[in-house]
Amino acid sequence: MGTSSNFDTGGKNILDLVKKNHHIKSLIVTAPNKSKTQYEIQPPALDYLENPNRIIADNYYLMNIDMVLKILRSGAKPERHELVAEVHFPPVIFPSKEQMNKFIVLEKVNDPHDLGMLTRSTKALGWNGIYLTNKSGDVYNSFAQIVSKSQSLTWPYIYGSSEELRKFLCDNELKLLIAEPPKQDLQAISQVFCKSDNRIFTRTEELEQHDDIIKTPLIFWNGNKSDSSELKLLSRIALLLSRELKSGKRNNEASISTENEMRVGINAPFIDVPSAGSIIMWELNRITASSKNV
Amino acid sequence: MGTSSNFDTGGKNILDLVKKNHHIKSLIVTAPNKSKTQYEIQPPALDYLENPNRIIADNYYLMNIDMVLKILRSGAKPERHELVAEVHFPPVIFPSKEQMNKFIVLEKVNDPHDLGMLTRSTKALGWNGIYLTNKSGDVYNSFAQIVSKSQSLTWPYIYGSSEELRKFLCDNELKLLIAEPPKQDLQAISQVFCKSDNRIFTRTEELEQHDDIIKTPLIFWNGNKSDSSELKLLSRIALLLSRELKSGKRNNEASISTENEMRVGINAPFIDVPSAGSIIMWELNRITASSKNV
């Protein structure tokens, strides 16, 4: 069982993979060593044995829990009556530069639930993929996989350092936009996005005249206080989400240096990262939608 | 330790309660029965013992894990070196009918992570509280509490049956709006909300004339196919979120009968419940904001 495989446990999880046409290489049913009656085998192992046609695999194995633990080794915690499937890592189709204009960058997002949810909503909202910096978690974690409804297995993602991220952004002409909680004095400002030239204004009355502006409750500001240049939202965005969306300095070794990048925030104090991420992706989709009629 | 108490485990969780000024009634440190050296006591118990002034309680107890398990009984799973705090259930201030115009109703949302996130984003986005129907989970679950950053302890919520929900909605003049995935044929329709009379239109050119309309990617439709009356968003909304946002019939015993209620959906297939809930709350906030200038 080579390195190009991934192990999944639990009947529901495996059935979800079957439904999504993943090829099951091996299926392992966990059962006591010499079970005398079928009552010693319990679900989900029993569910499968009663209805074996639901999961078709290249190879089938029946073994006890100690053997399964030896094979899995890792953080997986199979039960005594478990179903374990070995699947090929599915081929992930990475978008080309032309197909890529809305990317997510995660920094220190290591809760598997948060990762799974962000994978799911990134896909649901039509963003192109996820860049995970060093300190972000494992998308192949079984919990991330369950929460993402197995989307994490096929969703385009990259792991890399802060330096590699710079190169990736540069190569793909993506511009960082940092999600942060807005400072108090910024919360009262409501903003408008001008579609013809991507400029963002603080709302003033004369803007009513324009017919290509869109009001938004998103708050944009310059990361660098001394930079008073006008705000302009580039059409190719890499939205950076950090665990807990902390504001302030992030110039320690592991962090991405982002002092001069533009910031975006929502006026929803203490919201969690996946919800904030979903809202910001949704609202950026809305204001940058190509056709004014949509 | 009466019924008006709640037990919390884990150093970080308890420190969060202290920070939020919750009164700690009892603090229990779990340690081996006759520990010979301090090395037998480990974090988070050790963290506390090394810095006891961080948590001030009325009473302090040192006991072994077996005793702690007897006291906690429930689903809590304390470790051998645990910190357990007993806190009063804080007084929850329930909004009056006048203060209540945006409420969340949860149906069969029993994952503690989903519950915790929804509690947090409901508060962050300024909605007024949560109604949990029979089959929804426990907001006092320790995991829901951690995910919600202890917001679940003080956030207004009600548990009730479907019948009691009807009465609650009636008494508070709230109107159900059901979140569901939009059907295929609805996804192409983009809609506009008319602020002066709360009407929702499918977009047509002549609407451009009006100056009190707001375009939205939210999709609204009538639950009852035979009902072709025009859509009107009431100003007092009870947004119903179900686990997995399933569409279709829900007329089994435990479900809320909602055939004739208005539906709302977003074009983001397979998004999870907390993210969809946050996006819909955000977008309803935006389109119904009282001042056009905000």
Side-chain angles (χ1 to χ4, degrees), chain B residues 127-191:
Chain B
W127 284 54
N128 308 128
I130 298 181
Y131 193 103
L132 299 118
T133 58
N134 297 0
K135 301 253 167 172
S136 281
D138 176 14
V139 292
Y140 287 151
N141 170 293
S142 63
F143 197 50
Q145 200 172 315
I146 291 167
V147 173
S148 75
K149 302 264 162 190
S150 309
Q151 305 292 5
S152 66
L153 283 184
T154 52
W155 192 238
Y157 73 93
I158 313 175
Y159 280 94
S161 67
S162 308
E163 293 73 44
E164 286 163 335
L165 171 64
R166 283 285 160 204
K167 187 177 180 317
F168 171 80
L169 296 176
C170 189
D171 289 350
N172 292 288
E173 291 175 34
L174 290 164
K175 183 102 177 134
L176 269 186
L177 177 64
I178 323 287
E180 267 183 19
K183 287 166 205 134
Q184 282 299 325
D185 56 339
L186 286 165
Q187 295 189 6
I189 298 169
S190 84
Q191 299 192 302

Side-chain angles (χ1 to χ4, degrees), chain B residues 165-229:
Chain B
L165 171 64
R166 283 285 160 204
K167 187 177 180 317
F168 171 80
L169 296 176
C170 189
D171 289 350
N172 292 288
E173 291 175 34
L174 290 164
K175 183 102 177 134
L176 269 186
L177 177 64
I178 323 287
E180 267 183 19
K183 287 166 205 134
Q184 282 299 325
D185 56 339
L186 286 165
Q187 295 189 6
I189 298 169
S190 84
Q191 299 192 302
V192 289
F193 174 68
C194 181
K195 295 189 89 154
S196 55
D197 58 5
N198 283 334
R199 271 186 307 161
I200 293 156
F201 300 84
T202 301
R203 190 151 162 55
T204 55
E205 280 316 307
E206 57 267 42
L207 283 171
E208 294 281 18
Q209 313 299 319
H210 294 253
D211 70 341
D212 67 339
I213 61 156
I214 293 181
K215 300 172 212 168
T216 176
L218 284 184
I219 301 160
F220 297 93
W221 69 100
N222 275 314
N224 193 336
K225 274 182 194 167
S226 58
D227 180 4
S228 59
S229 66

